[in-house]
Amino acid sequence: MTFTAWIKTITFYEILIGMKATMSHMVHYRPVTEQYPHEKRTLPDNYRGMLALLRYDDGTEKCVGCDLCEAACPSRVIRVVSAEVPGEPTKRYSKEYYMDMTRCLFCGLCVDACPVDALGMTREFEWSVYDKRQLHLNKEQLLAIGDRSFPVREKQLELQHPNVAFFNVAFKHLPQKPG
Amino acid sequence: MSAYGADLLALLPELIIAVTACLVIALDPITPASRRDLLAWLSVGSLVICLGITIGQINSVNTRVSAFSELVVVDAYARFWKILLCSVAGLTILTSLPYLKAERIHLGEYYGFILLALSGMMVMVSGVDLLTIYLGTELMSLSLYVMTGLNRSKPRSLEAAAKYFVLGAFSSGILLYGISLLYGLAGSTKLEMIAGAIGTRGADDPLVLIATILVAVGFGFKIAAVPFHMWTPDVYQGAPTSVTAFMAVAAKAASFAAFMRVFVEGLGGLKADWSLLFLLISVVTLVLGNVVAIVQTNIKRMLAYSSIAHAGYALIGFVAAGRGVGLSGGTPGLASIMIYLAIYSFMTLGAFAVIGMLRKGGIEGEEIEDFTGLAKRQPLAAFLMLIFMTSLAGIPPTAGFIGKFYVFMAAVEADLAWLAAIALVFAVVSAYYYMRVVMVMYMRDPSPSSVAPPRLVTSPTLSFVLACAVAGVILFGLFPNPLVSFALQSVLTLK
Amino acid sequence: MTELSLRLAVTFAQILAEMSIVMITVATMTYFERKVLGWMQDRMGPMEVGPYGLLQPVADGIKLFFKEDIVPAGANKAMFALAPMLTMVVSMIGFAVIPFGPNMTLDIFGITIKPFVVADINIGVLYILAIASIGAYGIILGGWASNSKYSLLGGLRAAAQVISYELNVGLALIGVLMLAGTLSLVQITEAQAGGFWHWFIWGGRPDGFFPIHTQIFAFVVFIISAVAETNRIPFDLPEAESELVAGFFTEYSGMRFAFFVSAEYANMTLVSCVAAALFLGGWNAPYPGTIFEYIGLEQLAWVEHIVWFAAKVYFFLFLFIWIRATLPRLRYDQLMRFGWKVMLPIALANIIITSITLYFFPR
Amino acid sequence: MVPLSYYLILSGIVFLTGFVGVLLRRNIIIILLSVELMLNATNINFVAFSQYFHDVAGQVFVFFALTVAAAEVAVGLAIIIALYRAKSAINIDEFQLLKW
Amino acid sequence: MQQVFFFYFALVIAATSVLVVALRNPIYSALALLIMFFHVAGLYVTLHAEFLAAVQIIVYAGAILVLYLFVVMLLNLRQDDRYHRQWPMAGIVGATLVIEAIILTVMKGWTAPVVVTGTEMTVGATTNAGAIGDVLYSTYLFPFEVASLILLVAMIGAIMLAKKDIGEC
Amino acid sequence: MTSSFPWLSLLLVLPLAGAVAVYLATESAARWIALIATLADLLVALPLWWLFDPQAAQMQFTEHVAWITVPPIYYSLGLDGISLPLVLMTVGIMPLCVLASWNAITTSRRGFMAVLLIMETAMVGVFVALDFVLFYVFWEAMLIPMYLLIGVWGGPNRLYAAIKFFLYTLAGSVLLLVAILVLYFYGGHTFDILALSQGTYPASLQTWLFLAFFAAFAVKVPMFPFHTWLPDAHVEAPTAGSVILASILLKMGTYGFLRFSLPMLPDASRAFTPMMVTLSIIAIIYGAYMALAQVDLKKLIAYSSVSHMGFVTLGLFVLNQQGLEGAVLQMVNHGITTGGLFLCVGIIYERTHSRLIADNVGLAAPMPQYATLLVIFALSSLGLPGTNSFVGEFLVLVGTFLWSKVATALASLGIILAATYLLWMIQRVVFGVPSPHHLPKLSDLNQRELATLIPLVVLVFWIGLYPNPLVSRMHQSVTNTIASMSREKVAPTAHPSAGGTTESLLAGSREPLTAQGSSR
């Protein structure tokens, strides 16, 4: 142990350095705290918030009840009950659609998996509730979230094949659709 | 600056011992394990110096010198015990050296504790104030508690320590209560003040008697007199053998020394009462110690009961001292205790040294059966054991006889021939169990089925100790004159 | 008899006043600590309840008061209930001998009292040590009675720690006691009057500035040991969150929890008071006399004294928080080694050196 | 004023209790606590006598008794802990390696 | 007034000392002892031994009893304790000591009241602590040093016994 | 007397030096060194026979050196007519013992020889000590060597026999110590035997002291109720041990009676005479009767010892000149005769490894020399005129006759019985038909064995035919003893502890012993 090290030990030099550091923070007080309820931070562009079901511009549900989202979900949030559209045997739709948001971890895999872009992630995040059963959302609620978060809807094309799952899966990396 | 110069000079031996003890403890961590012997030699060196100083004091200061506001004195009586205790401690250390190594508990602190216990004992023997005596007793006892539990790998050792501790603390509590009552009687803890107070209050004061009994009980535990003996066998058996030797010899001697001083100098006015009390105690001690020793199969346990019995013999001298007529009438009795204990020290130390040598496999062989055929394998060791056993049995021309002779002479002088007769009858009983050891050593052939016959661990230091012990036993048996006259002169300084 | 009852009444009033001062300090401290910690960590601290969160202690108190009182299954109910009270009481009664202000007397209703100290007993320092030493009981008992391994471990650690460091506290004070020659806190403080160089931390002789009897080492030992004895970071092993959840009060909630916490703050305050009184001159200003005296307001000098005392105490309290903000927690063996192998020898050496200097340069 | 004998009776009772406790209890810790009772009884005696004689020596004796008590406890508890490690027994009649 | 205090203290001391022995849970025994220590300290204060009162609490309550509790908890002793089979002996001893107490009560000579001349027993010092300190470092210097050796023994001994691993030779 | 040469000390030191030398020597050299040491001792002792002045009434060859100052104990030695023959017999028997053990002892011969030599010192010391404590020291010092002798080198049941011997003897002798101490305080603070013999003691005290002495000496003799250790010890001991036991150790008891009980406690001795005589006669008849029933040679001789020692005690306690002289003579005779018998048994045991009479029959043909010697010793033992025992027993019976005719008649019965069992033994051992099984082992005596036995045979006939030198040497001492028994009764001394005893204890050391009125 050299002399300086010894001096440093007996004068608690290191500790004093540390205390000086903390003191300097107090003296130059620049809080990084955000007073959250009062002021909210700006969300980043790619923020992944609450999930929602989307509609076409004519108000029809995009979802075709293919169950791919349910299969993709790592947390088993989604439950889909699909059914044929009455009178149109080739068309299917989701008769019931549930999301248990207490389990969702907002990974976005379901959105990726959806062949018809029927799922979207909104920017909503303040979803605290008193009863966690309220976070078990059904189709109507999800659609309502979609309605209020995505006011601009995608247009349903006439020639669009009613079941485009095949194409969309095959050409996943197509350029982004407008809107 | 030199306000205490004279006092310190008077207590130089204690000082040296205590300082060396601290030095040993301080040096222990920085001493490599291979050189721990040096600590032992340091301790022995200090003991030799101390012995020299104490012996030197005999000629220079032959009166009673008080030191430290008359809390301690240096008189011939104290010096007698100091010389004895220092020698015993030195021999114990030398015995311990090979023993501790063989038991794998060779710790430097051990020597420090021996020295600390010794300084406690020296305070005990020179204290003339109950406070000093009590503190000395505690210093000794605490060191011994720790030393008893030193061999922590053996639960037996710890168990012995626990028992010793519990009963030791209990007894010191009783002793302290007695002291507090004496303080209340006399207004001081000085022995002479207490003697004065008893003189004025009279001996029939119930409180005086209660205090005396409590103090006697407290000391009774320390000297292992029946019915306060119950710790002895367990502790002697469980403790490491070298510690047992130290305990059996030095602790007992020091306790007796303080005991005598307290009862003669402080409570001398109650002679008639306490001599009756000790009469009963000594008879019971003799009977129980000797009779129970017969059935023991463990030699340390056997020696423990024998040590109880020997306390009984020494107490006879005390009874005689109490019965003595006139002012100095108790002198032969007291001197006989001193002679007895000095001699007892040598023989017991020797016996324990031999026991400590004995190894059976890696462990200590301490059953009496382990001595089977020792005479064939180790004639010299067996011969030494024979001499020690003979001496313990009190058969001439060994020193044990001289010890018993003086005790019984004191008893007969005090008109207690019947007590001497009883004691002697039980000496025969004791001879039976001592001779059984001899029998096992000499007359029984080792059974061929025994796995590994015990072997002996010897070393030059141990040989030296045995030589000293056997020389003491033989020389004091043949030429007891120096010891006797020293004891007789020393005891006169006891007021 | 009337005088006795009067005296009792006055004493009770004093106790009440003192306790309220302490409780207010404790309440303030809970807020103060969070705030200061926040500032040091570039946060804001409590801000919601009241302006700048000033009513936070009140809110906390109300919350804890109304919280459900849970006794764990298998707990020893009596001991479980006793432990926080014991801790609390012990931490409070120590203040009885602390002189908050100058040693003046006041005659009211025909009896003489000392307004700034409840009991000026002649063994004040010993009293403080005695009280501090039994503070461990509450912790040990609480830990044991909870029937939880975390609590028990916390309690055991607390016991070991308190015993180890209390020794150092006591030994650190001995130098001061030698200098002052008395055990009474009032007299010790009085002995330091007349400027900061007379404070025992410097230990200058009355006739000179040279700090021959300096107790600064003792002071450092005392402060560090005091931090350890009050179980504060970096010595908060008994309640180490990352290892023992919350140590001895893991199982506590509600008012009992509050008792433990406030006892901790009260203890901090107590050791701060002791440090101020023993090392930093207590109520004495760092200059001779008082400003009020110079400007002719002798009767108001006590205000200045009290302000100085409060300033010193709060400095120490701030120091506690500051250290907490800076240092991480020690490991258990480090704690013990530090106490026995570093603090103890320093304290002992200080005693020896002080006695030597006192022998050659008597005060 | 309180007569001295009152103090003596008190200390006698405490001493007696401790004494009986040592003989009666099996738990070694409680036995040691009983020994502490005995020592405290002694201390009461000493202080009372000290006051009676106006002699501070009795209090000094108490001081030493306290010291010794502390030392005894340190050693005793160390023994108990070591023993417990070795044997997990704390009642004295469970010590059976050596006959009691 | 002093008698009131005495009887209060004496009652609590006697009661708690009986509890120490009678209670089955070691923790309760220790706590009863704690209460007793405090009352003994109080008794000391009434006897003008303030220094000892403080030391009593520091040493007994603060150190000794904490150690006991520490060990009780370390060994995790619960109430598995039974009484020893020594009732007869205890009874005899108890009876003896009760007789002692009776003797003490009826004894003459000490029933005279304690004469309190002043507040302190001044032996050249102003306070109780000072008085004790004075004699401790002058008259009782030698026992003081012996006591220091006792503490040394206790310290080293406790370490040696309780240390987990021991350096073998 | 004749010179200041320390004959007796030399007598004591020589064997001790021999013991040390033996211990340091090799196994093979041990027996030679032992033999040399014992012979040297014998050579030292022999001149005393001629140097001894038969007319002198007092102790001769005295040595007087202070040993312990407080209390005054002296290394005080001396010989008179009683102890002279016993000392001579002791030193004479010892070389024979060494020779007898020449080949018999195979294990740790060094130890055996050393023990023998230590025994010799102790035994001689007992006979020459003139200080009571010194006497006691020698007395007790014999115990351990004898214990080892029996226990280590003895027969199959040696452990039992050894411890029995040890405890019996020790138990007897411890009371002796108390008696010695009591005597010290009543007899003027001295341990000097002669001075104590001059003292007078209160009658009640004498009774107690006599009983204490009796316990010690009667066990050693052994007298009738205390004899049970003897057969065991004799049977189990090696030959040398048996010889020492029978020849010397038993004499110590009677020597003790003669030296201490009678002169010091005359009143008690007189009072106890009927008891002692009764016990003696019981011993004579009982011992003889028991001997009749034995099938073991050693046991037979052991019981014959009981019987013969009964004659000695009988002679002692009839308290007249003839009785005492006969007793002393008989002590010597019994030593020689019984020693010879035991040696004979040892010789045959070496050959057949059996002590049973049934195994050793018809030795006359294969071992004529042996048979001759055995017959001589047996005849001596039964008191055939012309052999030594006749003289002694005759004197004893004469003495008894003066005291009581009935007792004489009963004692004579013992002689008749002795003739019965010994002749019966001879008939079987000497004149039978040897079993073919043992016949090849039965070689006659070799030279060493002859050397062992011949000296005893010579003594048998010498004393038997010409006892006068012996009797004349002991006459004066016996007269002294008788005289001291009939000395004037002095008023009982006051209790010794009346004055400051410490002062007297301390002062006693400075006074010369002669001032206390010994006859020196």
Side-chain angles (χ1 to χ4, degrees), chain B residues 375-376 386 442-444, chain F residues 23 27 101 104-116 119 144-159 162 233 235-242 298 349 355:
Chain B
K376 298 251 178 3
L386 166 73
Y442 277 89
M443 305 173 191
R444 198 172 279 171
Chain F
Y23 202 79
E27 285 283 306
S101 322
I105 300 302
T106 49
T107 55
S108 55
R109 196 177 280 145
R110 283 189 305 164
F112 182 82
M113 295 301 169
V115 165
L116 272 190
M119 279 294 291
I144 296 287
M146 197 62 211
Y147 173 68
L148 292 177
L149 212 56
I150 300 173
V152 179
W153 293 279
N157 201 14
R158 58 184 191 266
L159 298 185
V235 169
E236 299 301 332
T239 307
S242 299
K298 267 193 166 179
Y349 182 74
R355 290 184 304 257

Side-chain angles (χ1 to χ4, degrees), chain C residues 54-88:
Chain C
L54 272 174
L55 294 180
Q56 187 67 39
V58 182
D60 282 346
I62 292 169
K63 178 197 77 175
L64 287 171
F65 191 76
F66 284 109
K67 250 185 136 171
E68 187 189 354
D69 180 35
I70 299 168
V71 180
N76 189 323
K77 289 195 178 56
M79 293 297 131
F80 190 78
L82 178 66
M85 287 188 243
L86 190 62
T87 319
M88 186 72 189

Side-chain angles (χ1 to χ4, degrees), chain C residues 100 282-283 305-317:
Chain C
F100 291 90
W283 68 75
H305 284 306
I306 287 182
V307 167
W308 271 115
F309 187 80
K312 287 165 187 171
V313 170
Y314 272 87
F315 164 72
F316 281 116
L317 289 173

